[in-house]
Amino acid sequence: MIDKQKASLAEAMAGIKDGAVVLIAGFGNSGIPVELIDALIEQGAKDLTVVSNNAGSGRTDVAKLLASGHVRKLVCSYPRTSGSVVFEEMYSAGRLELELVPQGTLSERLRAAAAGIGGFYTPTAAGTKLAAGKETRTLNGRDYVLEMPLKGDVALIKAEHADRWGNLTYRLAARNFGPTMAAAADLTIVQARHIVELGGIDPEQVVTPGLFVDRVVHVPNPKQAGTPG
């Protein structure tokens, strides 16, 4: 009997290794897996590369993970947002590497990893510092930059519904990065607000099939991003 449910956050986070590339879904409160981030800090893996849309706000969620000292490198689109004090402190002090990726390119690099695509050309960033060191081709009179897939060792995902096979639905903007990151990692860990019986999700409503999910933990009352804890 397939049952991907874990009894605790600690059990869900077991085995994450030092140096892992961790994809953290987000795009606002609906998608930031606050409890999984806290559990990753407790788990203790170090020298991590974190891939996320932004660097968090205040000193909670992604910012809390950065401040914990477990992250070596951040790959994101918007490191400097309102309240991103931790990123600014750490980057200014030389304690954090940054790879800046335009948001559409970030999403497509994740999708390429999920789909097994070896790379793709995009005009985004052509002629800018972000294209430095990357192959550029001129196609039909326009410059395109070669971007490579962005694969994770681990993905941390926040879902609205899950069943024991790992079939998922999402709430609101959580769907922006959740499904792609879930498919782009070797190990996908999900916190779900509702656990339903098999068949409890209409097959037509499944966004992420259980094929892409390895572990599910029930978090019935998730904290909102920006909530200290």
Side-chain angles (χ1 to χ4, degrees):
M1 182 181 73
I2 298 174
D3 189 352
K4 299 178 181 178
Q5 296 177 88
K6 300 300 177 184
S8 67
L9 288 161
E11 187 177 347
M13 306 304 289
I16 297 176
K17 298 179 180 178
D18 292 350
V21 176
V22 182
L23 314 180
I24 300 180
F27 220 88
N29 283 327
S30 59
I32 297 175
V34 176
E35 284 76 7
L36 290 183
I37 294 171
D38 287 345
L40 177 59
I41 296 171
E42 291 295 321
Q43 193 266 357
K46 298 179 175 62
D47 197 29
L48 302 174
T49 293
V50 166
V51 180
S52 184
N53 187 44
N54 62 52
S57 180
R59 299 185 181 277
T60 64
D61 48 83
V62 174
K64 183 178 179 181
L65 177 59
L66 298 180
S68 71
H70 294 89
V71 180
R72 175 182 61 82
K73 178 179 178 180
L74 176 67
V75 181
C76 79
S77 300
Y78 296 99
R80 297 186 67 186
T81 56
S82 176
S84 58
V85 292
V86 172
F87 166 78
E88 296 196 18
E89 290 172 358
M90 295 186 67
Y91 188 71
S92 298
R95 295 165 51 205
L96 183 68
E97 297 178 32
L98 172 67
E99 181 180 345
L100 191 64
V101 184
Q103 188 173 81
T105 301
L106 179 69
S107 182
E108 186 65 5
R109 287 180 64 189
L110 292 163
R111 193 192 72 83
I117 296 171
F120 61 93
Y121 287 94
T122 174
T124 305
T128 75
K129 291 182 179 179
L130 297 183
K134 298 179 180 178
E135 179 183 330
T136 300
R137 288 190 177 185
T138 302
L139 303 171
N140 296 320
R142 190 176 187 185
D143 290 339
Y144 289 78
V145 179
L146 176 62
E147 298 284 357
M148 303 305 290
L150 185 52
K151 185 177 178 59
D153 297 304
V154 182
L156 306 183
I157 305 296
K158 183 179 181 181
E160 182 70 0
H161 297 91
D163 62 26
R164 64 177 170 84
W165 284 0
N167 295 307
L168 307 179
T169 71
Y170 297 87
R171 180 177 179 270
L172 304 175
R175 189 167 173 167
N176 281 14
F177 278 100
T180 310
M181 286 186 171
D186 291 331
L187 173 66
T188 295
I189 304 170
V190 175
Q191 66 170 76
R193 195 156 75 96
H194 303 285
I195 302 293
V196 301
E197 296 295 326
L198 292 179
I201 304 174
D202 183 334
E204 296 291 339
Q205 302 300 318
V206 171
V207 179
T208 294
L211 172 69
F212 298 114
V213 174
D214 300 283
R215 301 173 184 174
V216 175
V217 61
H218 190 201
V219 179
N221 298 298
K223 290 183 290 190
Q224 295 292 292
T227 303

